[in-house]
């Protein structure tokens, strides 16, 4: 059913359906299946972070990884901090690169097409919790180092692999603290982030790698309204819940936070303008990049959310009975602080509205937005080259990440932090991150391994 044939100078394979495929394609398919089976074994270990009850699971994952990547585990220096892992592959110089992805995953409730911890390979995809976020990426880092070690390669820089066990619950500073104590200052860090996606430029039919050069800060705020409470049959006016409702409505309908353009966002719009085939679209994107008068008013809601500080109300509480007016009611909001803004400034803007409604604010948790890595600097260029070697023809755009990563713990240590998950994904796959039926395409996995090999060899 399968016969070899020569087409020009390229060896091809013809299957029983008459489809032609190059030997390289066949090899890529073999690699994809082999890698997918390895990632599946990692997915099959449930590493949802459950403090006090999960060490055995992380130990099981480490045992699986030691079996999959024996050269890394035997040939690199290794440290363990609780269940977080750090490896060092010594290079020819003491300059340092950190490659980072985490081991833990989020819970997987709901009715999945395939069991979430089965690592099922079907329909040309690998399914399971962690396939995209982010055991696939973690695998690709280790596999890249494993293959380079097997080939006898010695890196120019020290290559560190950092794998936290609690990124999904806020992360820890154990690895950063150790590196700082040892006097190790990495020149460059690449963590998980956005990925290769359909290009957002209208009229451009292709994919773009979205490489995050910064991430927003984070604030959880508890907003509390108090009153005398009482029986619902004698409600009165200005009780806690209506005041909270009025407060939330004002926040929802007011532009509390200014939209400013960081150097990274300006570069993103410049690159998008260069890709656009439509003259009007090019002019519009250029006007934003160069901050022409009125550029802020021209932005759509999604663009404002991407560029600026955002706020979302996420939790609420009041009385425990339907006929009782609460003495205290609260809502919790989550604020993502854009680079160039501060936690204090965002809280102050919210406080001005809260005061008008007799609402008290309590900051539960916060961290400042990250510095912006220069999208024209050498670190970004190295990542860009590695991407384009792994996915020829792919455009690369600097990007501001709305979510948070473990990178936030390294901001004071490493001057060049970038975030990129080395996979090509669809819009549907993107929304399945942290949701039901998380999956990745098999054929993108080898490119992910090649990206990390390219990056290491391009130092």
């Amino acid at each position: 059913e399968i016969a070899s044939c020569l087409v020009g100078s390229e060896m091809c394979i013809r299957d029983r359906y008459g489809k032609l495929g190059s030997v390289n394609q066949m090899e890529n398919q073999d690699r994809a299946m082999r890698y997918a089976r390895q990632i599946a074994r990692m997915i099959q270990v449930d590493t949802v972070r459950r403090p006090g009850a999960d060490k055995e699971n992380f130990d099981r994952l480490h045992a699986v990884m030691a079996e999959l990547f024996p050269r890394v585990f035997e040939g690199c220096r290794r440290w363990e901090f609780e269940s977080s892992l750090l490896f060092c592959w010594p290079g020819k110089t003491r300059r340092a690169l950190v490659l980072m992805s985490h081991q833990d995953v989020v819970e997987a409730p709901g009715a999945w097409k395939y069991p979430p911890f089965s690592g099922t390979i079907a329909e040309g995809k690998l399914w399971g919790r962690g396939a995209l976020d982010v055991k696939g990426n973690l695998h690709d880092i280790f596999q890249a180092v494993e293959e380079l070690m097997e080939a006898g390669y010695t890196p120019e820089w020290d290559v560190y692999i950092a794998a936290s066990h609690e990124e999904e619950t806020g992360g820890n500073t154990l690895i950063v603290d150790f590196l700082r104590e040892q006097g190790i200052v990495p020149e460059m860090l690449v963590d998980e982030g956005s990925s290769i996606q359909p290009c957002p430029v209208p009229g451009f039919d292709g994919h773009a790698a979205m490489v995050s050069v910064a991430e927003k800060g984070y604030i959880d705020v508890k907003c509390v309204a108090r009153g005398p409470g009482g029986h619902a049959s004698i409600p009165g006016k200005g009780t806690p819940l209506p005041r909270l409702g009025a407060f939330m409505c004002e926040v929802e309908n007011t532009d509390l936070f200014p939209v400013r353009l960081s150097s990274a966002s300006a570069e993103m719009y410049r690159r998008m303008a260069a890709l656009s085939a439509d003259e009007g679209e090019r002019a519009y994107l250029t006007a934003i990049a160069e901050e022409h008068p009125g550029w802020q008013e021209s932005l759509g809601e999604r663009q404002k959310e991407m560029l600026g500080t955002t706020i979302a109300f996420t939790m609420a509480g009041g009385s425990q009975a339907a006929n009782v007016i609460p003495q205290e009611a609260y809502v919790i909001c989550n604020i993502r602080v854009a680079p160039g803004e501060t936690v204090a400034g965002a809280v102050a803007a919210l406080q001005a509205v809260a005061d008008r409604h007799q609402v008290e604010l309590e900051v539960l948790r916060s961290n400042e937005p990250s510095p912006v890595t220069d999208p024209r600097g050498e670190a970004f260029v190295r990542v860009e080259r590695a991407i384009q070697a792994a996915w020829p023809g792919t455009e690369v755009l600097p990007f501001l990440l709305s979510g948070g990563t473990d990178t936030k713990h390294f901001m004071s240590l490493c001057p060049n932090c970038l975030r990129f998950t080395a996979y090509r994904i669809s819009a549907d796959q993107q929304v399945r991150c942290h949701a039901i039926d998380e999956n990745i395409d098999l054929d993108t996995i080898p490119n992910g391994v090649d990206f990390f090999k390219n990056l290491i060899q391009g130092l």
Side-chain angles (χ1 to χ4, degrees):
E1 294 183 337
I2 299 179
S4 296
C5 64
L6 277 175
V7 178
S9 61
E10 182 181 32
M11 178 68 77
C12 292
I13 303 297
R14 185 183 300 275
D15 64 18
R16 60 180 172 177
Y17 303 106
K19 183 179 179 181
L20 291 176
S22 71
V23 170
N24 285 340
Q25 288 175 324
M26 299 297 288
E27 290 174 351
N28 207 52
Q29 290 170 7
D30 291 342
R31 288 178 69 202
M33 185 60 69
R34 175 163 54 89
Y35 294 157
R37 288 172 179 148
Q38 292 175 344
I39 301 169
R41 291 188 59 191
M42 296 169 66
I43 290 172
Q44 287 160 7
V45 183
D46 175 352
T47 51
V48 174
R49 182 74 173 104
R50 302 180 182 94
D54 58 15
K55 188 176 187 309
E56 181 179 342
N57 283 351
F58 283 102
D59 288 345
R60 285 176 53 219
L61 177 62
H62 299 169
V64 168
M65 293 170 66
E67 184 180 336
L68 295 176
F69 316 113
R71 291 176 181 82
V72 177
F73 272 72
E74 295 169 8
C76 295
R77 295 198 294 269
R78 176 163 58 101
W79 301 268
E80 189 166 338
F81 308 93
E82 295 179 0
S83 293
S84 293
L85 297 176
L86 178 67
F87 294 78
C88 177
W89 183 22
K92 297 175 184 177
T93 69
R94 294 286 71 81
R95 301 175 74 182
L97 163 71
V98 175
L99 302 176
M100 187 159 66
S101 279
H102 56 88
Q103 307 168 61
D104 58 318
V105 297
V106 297
E107 295 278 5
W112 287 56
K113 187 171 188 178
Y114 304 100
F117 295 103
S118 65
T120 297
I121 298 171
E123 304 173 46
K125 304 176 188 296
L126 171 63
W127 304 75
R129 178 60 83 225
L132 179 59
D133 186 12
V134 70
K135 284 181 177 175
N137 207 55
L138 181 65
H139 162 275
D140 291 0
I141 293 171
F142 275 88
Q143 184 64 31
V145 173
E146 182 78 10
E147 292 181 11
L148 289 174
M149 292 180 76
E150 182 180 12
Y153 180 79
T154 300
E156 291 295 322
W157 296 11
D158 288 345
V159 177
Y160 287 86
I161 305 174
S164 167
H165 70 293
E166 51 189 3
E167 189 272 349
E168 298 290 5
T169 55
N172 61 61
T173 64
L174 298 172
I175 292 174
V176 177
D177 293 343
F178 172 78
L179 292 175
R180 185 175 283 113
E181 289 168 4
Q182 301 301 309
I184 298 165
V185 179
E187 292 189 33
M188 180 177 171
L189 176 146
V190 179
D191 193 8
E192 63 164 326
S194 195
S195 54
I196 297 177
Q197 303 165 14
C199 186
V201 179
F204 181 83
D205 186 20
H207 285 76
M210 311 300 288
V211 179
S212 171
V213 295
E215 62 185 69
K216 292 185 177 182
Y218 183 105
I219 320 174
D220 286 330
V221 183
K222 187 174 184 180
C223 313
V224 182
R226 294 185 169 87
H231 199 286
S233 64
I234 314 172
K237 298 293 184 181
T239 57
L241 282 171
R243 292 197 339 258
L244 279 175
F247 161 71
M248 288 190 287
C249 284
E250 183 173 345
V251 170
E252 181 88 356
N253 295 306
T254 304
D255 291 328
L256 280 186
F257 311 111
V259 178
R260 297 188 177 95
L261 205 64
S262 69
S263 60
S265 298
E267 179 65 13
M268 178 186 71
Y269 278 104
R270 274 192 289 270
R271 293 189 181 207
M272 290 170 65
L275 294 176
S276 178
D278 180 85
E279 185 176 346
E281 187 69 22
R282 276 200 311 275
Y284 168 68
L285 295 169
T286 300
I288 297 174
E290 298 178 356
E291 299 185 71
H292 292 177
W295 73 271
Q296 290 154 312
E297 291 74 19
S298 73
L299 298 173
E301 283 304 311
R302 289 298 182 193
Q303 289 174 300
K304 290 179 182 178
E305 290 173 355
M306 177 185 68
L307 296 174
T309 297
T310 62
I311 183 168
F313 292 96
T314 56
M315 301 174 70
S319 77
Q320 300 300 306
N323 62 346
V324 175
I325 297 169
Q327 294 182 24
E328 179 181 301
Y330 73 89
V331 292
I332 290 176
C333 62
N334 179 257
I335 303 175
R336 301 301 173 105
V337 187
E341 310 300 331
T342 64
V343 168
V347 173
L350 185 62
Q351 185 70 65
V353 180
D355 289 345
R356 289 195 284 274
H357 299 278
Q358 297 177 281
V359 171
E360 302 168 20
L361 302 184
E362 177 188 356
V363 176
L364 304 177
R365 171 187 165 194
S366 68
N367 61 264
E368 298 289 349
S370 75
V372 178
T373 298
D374 184 359
R376 298 184 178 183
E378 184 59 29
F380 190 92
V381 170
R382 290 182 189 279
V383 170
E384 185 173 30
R385 284 200 303 256
I387 289 170
Q388 291 176 334
W391 286 276
T394 297
E395 301 295 337
V396 180
L397 300 176
F399 184 67
L400 172 60
L401 192 67
S402 296
T405 69
D406 271 335
T407 304
K408 60 181 172 286
H409 303 301
F410 283 78
M411 293 188 314
S412 63
L413 182 66
C414 180
N416 296 299
C417 294
L418 297 166
R419 305 149 191 86
F420 174 67
T421 298
Y423 285 136
R424 184 200 66 248
I425 66 171
S426 66
D428 178 73
Q429 288 167 323
Q430 186 176 9
V431 299
R432 294 190 184 279
C433 181
H434 282 207
I436 292 173
D437 291 339
E438 181 179 347
N439 69 83
I440 54 173
D441 293 336
L442 299 185
D443 63 7
T444 195
I445 303 175
N447 304 84
V449 175
D450 291 342
F451 162 76
F452 288 109
K453 292 169 72 172
N454 296 339
L455 182 60
I456 293 168
Q457 292 174 297
L459 295 175

